[in-house]
Amino acid sequence: MLLFGGRSAEHDVSRVTAVAVAKALDPERYEVVPVAISKDGRWLRADRAREALDAGVDALPAAFEVEGSSVEPSADPGRPSVIVRAGAVPEAVGIDVVLPLLHGPFGEDGTVQGLLELAGLPYVGAGVLGSAVAMDKIAMKRMLAAAGIPHAGYLAFRDGHDRTDFADRVEAELRLPCFVKPSNMGSSVGVSKAHDRIELEEAIDLALEYDEWILAEEAIVGREIEVGVLGDDPPEASIAGEVVPGAEYYSYSDKYEDGSARLLVPAELDAASAEAVRALAVEAFDACRCEAMARVDFFYEESGAARGFLVNELNTIPGFTPISMYPRLWEASGVSYPALIDRLIDQAIARRDRRAGRAGRQRPGVAG
């Protein structure tokens, strides 16, 4: 089952990702069942996506449609229908494995993963805990700190507390400029760089539109290095790549709209640094209890009071079109895009089978 759309601000990015993955799936090996989640959270049979798939790869659009977002459940087979209700997931969709191509909250944060665990359905990507930790920047930084993994300095804030006091602390402890981010969001949505007090207050207000918890983070002057991690026992690290932002920082528009950022694969690093960042990526992956896949993003300080590699964040459902950094890193490491998807699907099924016999993890519908 190809699961796309979702309730987050990254809904449209997910629709594009789903088409890219569908194109790479071998029709001799897989029967693709597209399922859409509308912006209001309803699960729908993606009939137009299915029609495009049936017409062949050349008929696929740039992004799958999430049709019928305002349609109520219907017995009419010609209309989209809700296919997931409480307690009815396995019976509603006869599927073998789920590819949750959902970026951001309500998809990448452990919520959908928890639903699929309850349903006993194998799924690609990190589990509930790893997804939740990697999605929440504050929780992630606390996990990294506990493991002794270097990361950028930050201050956390919860809505309802004194915003003026928080802004004062940011100015005094982190200094300006700094970044302000929603804690539980991805793709740079809601992120601002604040250069002065007015911009700082505006950045706080913007971030709080997306999450109750936000953080201010020191502005690192350094290169942006990324490493892909695949598998979980043991995980493997790809070669390192580098993002050269087209603007002052790697923003949402830089990633998805104007295409001005440059992605360099491999990154220009000496052999020792390249090995060091790959090892650190696996350490961060393990520290945050990730599984299957993640892209680990770093800042690399080389001048001044340089601290070397600092973990910026982990993305458990990274951008996944063929030109996105994660697939490109693995392509350059010897794993093609279709082979990468095959490995992730195989890992998902193997994980389900490996855990099925443990106490408390019996599959639904299986007699004890």
Side-chain angles (χ1 to χ4, degrees):
M1 182 171 83
L2 203 62
L3 186 59
F4 65 93
R7 295 170 57 188
S8 83
E10 299 167 85
H11 177 96
D12 290 337
V13 177
S14 172
R15 294 169 50 229
V16 174
T17 300
V19 172
V21 172
K23 287 180 178 180
L25 289 168
D26 181 357
E28 298 297 319
R29 183 176 182 185
Y30 305 108
E31 178 184 356
V32 181
V33 179
V35 174
I37 301 179
S38 67
K39 290 183 178 179
D40 60 4
R42 293 183 302 116
W43 293 48
L44 309 169
R45 297 188 187 278
D47 296 325
R48 292 185 185 176
R50 185 56 183 265
E51 290 169 3
L53 286 164
D54 289 344
V57 172
D58 293 338
L60 292 179
F64 281 139
E65 291 187 38
V66 177
E67 66 270 44
S69 61
S70 62
V71 177
E72 295 302 318
S74 170
D76 181 353
R79 301 173 68 191
S81 60
V82 176
I83 66 164
V84 175
R85 298 189 184 92
V89 180
E91 294 77 20
V93 284
I95 56 176
D96 299 309
V97 65
V98 179
L99 279 77
L101 303 173
L102 304 167
H103 305 292
F106 309 110
E108 193 176 352
D109 59 354
T111 50
V112 165
Q113 289 76 13
L115 173 64
L116 297 174
E117 290 279 359
L118 288 171
L121 296 172
Y123 57 92
V124 166
V128 175
L129 178 58
S131 298
V133 168
M135 189 71 226
D136 190 287
K137 296 177 180 63
I138 295 171
M140 177 199 68
K141 286 178 179 291
R142 290 172 177 168
M143 294 284 271
L144 294 174
I149 295 172
H151 56 279
Y154 74 101
L155 290 171
F157 177 76
R158 187 178 186 180
D159 198 14
H161 292 244
D162 190 328
R163 296 191 191 189
T164 299
D165 177 67
F166 177 63
D168 289 342
R169 289 184 60 208
V170 170
E171 285 193 292
E173 298 178 36
L174 296 180
R175 309 289 186 183
L176 298 179
C178 74
F179 286 95
V180 181
K181 307 176 179 181
S183 188
N184 198 40
M185 186 58 67
S187 289
S188 300
V189 174
V191 175
S192 304
K193 187 173 185 180
H195 301 82
D196 55 39
R197 180 60 179 244
I198 293 175
E199 288 186 356
L200 175 59
E201 292 175 354
E202 291 173 346
I204 291 170
D205 290 341
L206 175 63
L208 287 170
E209 291 181 13
Y210 292 94
D211 195 10
E212 180 180 5
W213 283 91
I214 68 172
L215 68 159
E217 187 178 81
E218 66 172 316
I220 304 296
V221 178
R223 297 163 63 186
E224 298 190 28
I225 305 297
E226 300 185 346
V227 177
V229 181
L230 176 65
D232 57 25
D233 190 24
E236 303 173 49
S238 72
I239 65 172
E242 181 171 2
V243 175
V244 181
E248 189 175 5
Y249 65 95
Y250 198 25
S251 65
Y252 181 92
S253 61
D254 212 9
K255 293 175 181 177
Y256 301 116
E257 295 174 352
D258 56 33
S260 57
R262 290 186 296 135
L263 307 182
L264 307 180
V265 181
E268 293 185 2
L269 297 169
D270 61 70
S273 296
E275 286 305 306
V277 74
R278 293 177 69 233
L280 192 56
V282 170
E283 287 185 43
F285 184 88
D286 285 339
C288 293
R289 290 288 297 275
C290 293
E291 300 170 281
M293 69 172 169
R295 194 191 70 235
V296 187
D297 300 346
F298 296 87
F299 293 120
Y300 184 34
E301 291 187 325
E302 296 180 284
S303 59
R307 291 169 288 182
F309 292 103
L310 305 174
V311 175
N312 179 27
E313 62 183 27
L314 291 85
N315 293 272
T316 55
I317 305 181
F320 214 85
T321 67
I323 62 171
S324 299
M325 182 61 100
Y326 185 83
R328 285 182 61 180
L329 290 171
W330 281 109
E331 183 84 39
S333 301
V335 182
S336 70
Y337 188 68
L340 178 60
I341 297 171
D342 287 345
R343 284 183 61 172
L344 289 167
I345 291 172
D346 291 343
Q347 288 171 6
I349 295 170
R351 176 177 60 187
R352 189 275 312 278
D353 293 344
R354 185 176 71 244
R355 296 179 178 175
R358 295 189 182 274
R361 298 190 70 92
Q362 186 169 296
R363 295 175 61 185
V366 178

